[in-house]
Amino acid sequence: MFRGFKFQVVLPVAAITLLLISLSAIGFSIWAMQQEQSVVRQEVADNVTSIQGVFVTTAALMQDRTRASMALLEEQIKVRGGAEKGAAVSIGGKTVNDILIGGKGQAGDFGIVDYVTRLNKGTATIFSKDGDHFVRISTNVMKDDGTRAVGTELNNTTQAYAQLKSQRPFYGVVDILGNPYFTAYEPLLSKNGDIGIAYVGYKAELPVLSQALEQSHLLKSGFVAVVDNSKARYMPSWVTAEQVQQATDNKDGSWVINRLPLAEWGLTIVSAYPAAELRAEGRKIGYGVALAGVVLGAAISLTLFFLLDRKVLHLLGGEPRVAADYMKKIADGDLAVDVAIVGEQSDSLMASLKVMQLKLKNLVSAVRGGAAEVSEQSHKFETAFATFQSDRKEASSQEMVRQAKGISRTLSFLEKSVGRFRL
């Protein structure tokens, strides 16, 4: 039913509608993918900013504590008579010059350092200078085995060492025996020159920072960490230091890495997440939008198809091309054509065309019957007129002849007009 119109008009309209909606859905899905990637990047930026704020704020507070502790340590050295270089002593397997404070040797004596930390917590140390080295002779910094770290040297690869070697103080974060500390270092000077270092520090245990890092989950396996010379110092619980190292090395380029240096602390905030996960997340959103668009487009197209079929075509009552052929034949006078009606719509175009055909048939039949009757009456009139002609005047007779001929011509024209219709 209506096969030609369906496949020539309705189906192309539905297909074009589906194509346009699908293309729009695909375009929107691409936009959604880009938006999802922007959201992830914004999350990264927010996490990094949050962690930076936590770290900087906490570090500033810790710096105030280290300065206060350093002031206390320097005050204790001063009130006890100041520092002087002492004789060589053996401490922790090392032979170095002792440091005398108020005439009392500090090698193996922990009274001052424990006094400072008892009041302000943290750690304190007195270093003795041995050439280019600085050796701990009095300290409450503990080694992993739980003993005091006397006899150990200041790490000569840190910023602190570079500053102190030039007899300049240092305040910042350094690595002490494998752990990060917020520290303060001041050269110990005597009348004989530079004899050592006074140190105070606090192990960098930052619960607020740890909490912020725990909340910095980027996608499935991404993270934010704080590193020192590529060594992970602070990281969330779901990654290890080795994983942080591998990700930040990014040898295969599969990770998206962003770094925010904290130059004053010698640390760097690093955010990292796999590029594949970002693309996958974007595709998940994009594919979902595209699929929804295609399904919606298909539903709209099918609805349009059936609406055109049931509403438009049924109102026509047949193929528009067939209806046009019928009308052309009727216009050419062929009233015998059989008008086929599809469906039961009494008010369809084809039904109305058939009604018009029947009315034209009836009209033409009536006109033909009337023409035949008039023609017969005309012949009778001519016969009667011939009889009448012999008894009337010439002028009146000729006038009647003209009238009779006029009727004949009219009848002839009517017969020709009606004759072109085929019933």
Side-chain angles (χ1 to χ4, degrees), residues 368-390:
R368 280 184 174 178
E373 183 178 352
V374 172
S375 178
E376 182 180 354
Q377 293 296 328
S378 175
H379 287 302
K380 290 181 179 180
F381 177 80
E382 289 179 355
T383 302
F385 172 73
T387 304
F388 175 78
Q389 187 177 18
S390 58

Side-chain angles (χ1 to χ4, degrees), residues 100-123:
L100 305 177
I101 298 179
K104 183 179 180 181
Q106 297 300 304
D109 187 310
F110 311 114
I112 294 178
V113 294
D114 286 349
Y115 175 81
V116 171
T117 56
R118 184 168 62 251
L119 293 178
N120 289 341
K121 306 300 182 183
T123 58

Side-chain angles (χ1 to χ4, degrees), residues 12 62 93 111 173 200 216 218 230 249 260 277 301 314 360 362 368:
M62 296 301 292
V173 178
V200 293
S216 64
L218 305 179
S230 298
D249 286 345
L260 178 63
E277 288 185 9
S301 298
H314 282 211
L360 284 175
N362 293 335
R368 280 184 174 178

